[in-house]
Amino acid sequence: METQAQVQEFYRQSATRYARYWLKFLGSQKQNDGTLDRELENIFAAFALAQEDNLHGILVQGVERVYPYCEARGLYAQIRRELLRARQAAESLADPAALARNALFRGRIAMRQEEFDEAEAAWRSGLEWAQEITDRGLVCALETELGVLATERRNYSQAETHLHWALALAQEIGATEQICVILGELCRAAFFQGQLEQAESYCRQALPLAITHGYTHRTTGLLVYLGIIEEARGNLAEARRHWEEGLALARQVGNLARISNLLVNLGMLANETGAWEEAETYLSEGLEVARRLGQSPEISHLLTDLGILYSQQGKRQQAEACLAESLQLARTMQNPTLLTYNLLKQGDFFLAQQEWQRAEECFVECTALQSSPNERDQEKVASAFWGLAQVEYARHNFPNAQRAAEQSLAIFERIGHHQAGQVREWLKKIYHRDTGDTESHGGKGEMRSLLCSQ
């Protein structure tokens, strides 16, 4: 008879073989191969077995390989769990490089979920590990991420400090592609401050580097930025030219992620100019590409955009299907950030369509969703209350409109948001109620710009 020890050894060897098999399988797959979708649970099971059997190296390597795949598909909860498992393995190995990379990835997932404090904590711990082993490449990457985080928090001075430090380091070590990345992030920081000339300058510095070295992903990304800058200037033809150039290059090299992104930009630009059929063509193809990639967040965004477009065209049934699927996908992903974005955008749309009940439902759900103290979440809450104020005003329920606007104003003032001025002026008028035109009070175009931001 087999002894208990033999049974345990057989189980251990079987588990080891299983874990090694799935790691080898994972290494043989392309990141966009749909096969991984079908086998992901087996891969996660292999990671659990690797942890039980103290296969620390296999676990760390496997999680690092599957991370980009999970991030692209919005599987944040799942990859967060596996990254924590891998961190424990890296600690057992006493591998500071693995710990630094793990912190880099954990911070990126936290950023995707707008958990800014968690992202910062992860990146600062990673920076300590990277500095300990003098890995200047990792230091540079982590400094860049801290700069991106500061931009998201609208702390532009701090963002520029991190990014310029990262840029100097990247230039010192000859990390040309990272230089392109950092210049792109400096462009974003300048753009958000309204410094369009400076933003363009950073882009123009990076573009020749990206083209010369064949970094097509960076090249197309910089063309996206140049288009956005021109759109902000009102030069829509120039914006379109940059995006069409980027799309042609992305198609040439088969960069599906960038193709999807550029199709969205071109689709929304066509929508802005009233070219609805062209917009539908671009957005429909963008959705198809996003589905091929399995990029759940992008799919949800695109469904909302298409739903609104269909509604504008009078295609009510298609519109309803897209909007419903968009919200369901965000709910299935358990992603409050994405769900709130879609709800705000749909609420704004229903408000413009004078569908007061549906707009109210969207805005009310938003106020309940966001509970964290970070400014981006609080901005969404304030935006939702602002939307509710518009709904109640349209219904001539002035006391409720006033209360909702005051709640919105209190939050906007607390976080120092520029929208506070508009809401404050609106409230002055509602106190006197000398007109009944909601558009003249509400600033519909400015509100749409706020609600569509993310």
Side-chain angles (χ1 to χ4, degrees), residues 354-374:
Q354 299 185 5
E355 294 188 38
W356 314 128
Q357 183 61 37
R358 297 186 71 178
E360 180 184 26
E361 289 170 0
C362 290
F363 293 137
V364 167
E365 185 173 353
C366 286
T367 62
L369 272 173
Q370 296 294 344
S371 58
S372 77
N374 81 59

Side-chain angles (χ1 to χ4, degrees), residues 118-392:
E118 185 176 332
E120 181 176 12
W123 287 332
R124 290 202 180 280
S125 70
L127 195 57
E128 290 180 9
W129 288 114
Q131 289 170 336
E132 179 181 316
I133 59 175
T134 324
D135 188 325
R136 295 190 292 173
L138 272 172
V139 169
C140 185
L142 288 156
E143 285 283 359
T144 302
E145 297 291 3
L146 286 167
V148 173
L149 174 61
T151 297
E152 292 301 311
R153 285 173 159 166
R154 302 186 180 87
N155 190 336
Y156 300 117
S157 175
Q158 186 180 68
E160 289 167 354
T161 298
H162 283 295
L163 292 171
H164 280 297
W165 171 256
L167 180 60
L169 184 54
Q171 291 169 334
E172 181 182 326
I173 64 179
T176 310
E177 185 170 8
Q178 188 67 14
I179 291 171
C180 293
V181 172
I182 297 165
L183 286 169
E185 292 302 329
L186 282 165
C187 166
R188 288 180 69 245
F191 177 85
F192 290 139
Q193 296 175 82
Q195 300 169 0
L196 300 187
E197 296 297 326
Q198 182 63 70
E200 182 180 2
S201 174
Y202 286 129
C203 247
R204 297 292 183 188
Q205 290 176 57
L207 195 56
L209 283 176
I211 293 171
T212 300
H213 290 272
Y215 302 141
T216 55
H217 186 70
R218 305 304 171 196
T219 301
T220 52
L222 291 164
L223 288 168
V224 169
Y225 289 158
L226 284 173
I228 291 171
I229 291 166
E230 293 301 340
E231 184 183 35
R233 288 170 170 158
N235 300 330
L236 302 188
E238 276 296 291
R240 177 172 181 151
R241 185 180 67 80
H242 287 306
W243 292 337
E244 285 179 339
E245 182 183 351
L247 181 59
L249 179 58
R251 289 192 194 280
Q252 181 183 332
V253 298
N255 186 333
L256 294 181
R258 193 67 81 199
I259 289 170
S260 177
N261 178 241
L262 284 156
L263 286 167
V264 170
N265 284 0
L266 285 164
M268 297 308 292
L269 182 63
N271 187 39
E272 284 179 35
T273 57
W276 287 345
E277 289 186 7
E278 184 180 17
E280 181 180 346
T281 299
Y282 280 128
L283 293 177
S284 296
E285 185 184 351
L287 178 60
E288 179 186 345
V289 174
R291 289 194 193 277
R292 284 173 60 192
L293 289 168
Q295 294 180 317
S296 299
E298 285 75 11
I299 292 168
S300 183
H301 277 277
L302 274 160
L303 284 166
T304 291
D305 293 335
L306 264 174
I308 291 173
L309 178 62
Y310 284 141
S311 185
Q312 290 170 331
Q313 294 175 289
K315 299 178 180 179
R316 196 68 188 181
Q317 188 173 359
Q318 290 168 275
E320 296 288 347
C322 284
L323 295 176
E325 185 183 351
S326 170
L327 291 180
Q328 182 57 43
L329 183 56
R331 290 192 171 99
T332 299
M333 291 172 60
Q334 297 182 334
N335 186 332
T337 298
L338 179 63
L339 180 56
T340 304
Y341 169 83
N342 285 339
L343 285 167
L344 284 174
K345 196 167 184 181
Q346 291 188 30
D348 185 30
F349 172 71
F350 292 136
L351 180 64
Q353 297 297 306
Q354 299 185 5
E355 294 188 38
W356 314 128
Q357 183 61 37
R358 297 186 71 178
E360 180 184 26
E361 289 170 0
C362 290
F363 293 137
V364 167
E365 185 173 353
C366 286
T367 62
L369 272 173
Q370 296 294 344
S371 58
S372 77
N374 81 59
E375 288 190 3
R376 287 284 288 277
D377 284 347
Q378 288 301 299
E379 177 185 321
K380 291 181 173 70
V381 175
S383 299
F385 278 121
W386 177 226
L388 282 173
Q390 302 298 297
V391 170
E392 296 296 354

